[in-house]
Amino acid sequence: MEANHATETSTLLLIDDDPNLVLLVKDYLELRGYIVITAKNGRDALKVLEKDIPKLIICDVMMPEMDGYAFVKKVRENPQTNWLPILFLSAKGQIQDRVAGLSKGADVYMVKPFEPDELVAQIEASLNQASRMRQMQGPNVGSAVSVHVPFDVELTPTEQRVIQMVAKGMANREIAESLSVSQRTVESHVSNMLGKTGLHNRTELARWAIEQRMI
């Protein structure tokens, strides 16, 4: 499977000033087959990028010396790194925080605390999307691009509620509990929306929902 291939070959850069979170996430991802490099803030992470280019960056937002926003700006300005998928982890979960994170260059915005399996799913989806983009457009493609969806897409009222929750970073299990339906029903709605929009994953659905001000 493509996702398994990604975990066998992918080096990730994890940036966070919380040593306990770094230890837990690093151990979990390494058990899933990833190679994980760590840094405690954006400034240290830039030094890492001078020597090693990972396949994806996982970054906290609020950090000393250089926060996530300043770090991502540097990454996007560098032609050697501007294509890298970036996943923000943050304790700040308001919609304005999510919008700020995505608009400043992150591809995914997840709120702490998060489900480890959801983190892995987002990583795999981002890696696969980046791989497809490089194959189609070359290796220097920036990953912080707007998604393109047909203008005449119509969502049912339930699909609109589901995509709003997806954009808020809720896992399928949480959405199912909120709507009092099965997780399989939520997965079906997500699959239907992917088919209607031509998008590839929940990350792209979330970005589209935010760009279209559905939330």
Side-chain angles (χ1 to χ4, degrees), residues 26-186:
K26 184 175 187 292
D27 285 350
Y28 188 83
L29 293 177
E30 288 180 341
L31 285 173
R32 298 298 293 261
Y34 293 101
I35 299 169
V36 182
I37 304 171
T38 65
K40 61 184 178 181
N41 58 53
R43 194 175 303 281
D44 287 349
L46 290 177
K47 294 178 181 178
V48 171
L49 292 178
E50 292 176 359
K51 300 177 181 179
D52 298 292
I53 303 296
K55 292 293 183 66
L56 178 143
I57 297 172
I58 306 166
C59 184
D60 188 18
V61 175
M62 304 304 295
M63 297 180 292
E65 296 191 42
M66 178 181 286
D67 66 14
Y69 293 149
F71 169 73
V72 169
K73 185 175 185 294
K74 292 288 188 182
V75 171
R76 295 299 182 224
E77 290 173 345
N78 185 345
Q80 299 300 317
T81 59
N82 63 10
W83 58 272
L84 285 170
I86 298 176
L87 190 156
F88 266 154
L89 296 179
S90 176
K92 301 176 69 174
Q94 297 297 317
I95 185 59
Q96 59 265 31
D97 300 315
R98 298 175 187 275
V99 171
L102 294 171
S103 65
K104 290 180 182 295
D107 298 284
V108 180
Y109 191 105
M110 293 186 63
V111 179
K112 303 174 184 177
F114 50 86
E115 292 289 338
D117 286 343
E118 175 77 1
L119 175 62
V120 171
Q122 293 283 15
I123 289 170
E124 292 178 349
S126 296
L127 288 172
N128 292 333
Q129 180 184 2
S131 177
R132 287 192 298 269
M133 291 177 68
R134 289 198 300 274
Q135 290 172 3
M136 291 186 298
Q137 302 178 36
N140 293 322
V141 177
S143 57
V145 297
S146 297
V147 295
H148 300 288
V149 173
F151 71 91
D152 57 348
V153 170
E154 293 186 5
L155 302 181
T156 68
T158 302
E159 288 172 346
Q160 291 176 6
R161 294 179 66 188
V162 170
I163 198 173
Q164 288 170 354
M165 296 180 188
V166 168
K168 292 178 181 178
M170 295 174 64
N172 287 348
R173 173 181 52 79
E174 296 172 311
I175 297 173
E177 292 174 355
S178 177
L179 297 179
S180 299
V181 298
S182 70
Q183 185 168 327
R184 184 176 297 274
T185 297
V186 175

Side-chain angles (χ1 to χ4, degrees), residues 199-215:
L199 299 175
H200 300 96
N201 51 55
R202 296 172 91 258
T203 301
E204 293 184 355
L205 278 176
R207 181 180 289 277
W208 178 58
I210 290 173
E211 290 178 350
Q212 297 299 312
R213 301 187 181 278
M214 295 182 184
I215 52 179

Side-chain angles (χ1 to χ4, degrees), residues 188-203:
S188 178
H189 285 306
V190 171
S191 178
N192 288 341
M193 287 188 287
L194 291 175
K196 288 181 178 181
T197 59
L199 299 175
H200 300 96
N201 51 55
R202 296 172 91 258
T203 301

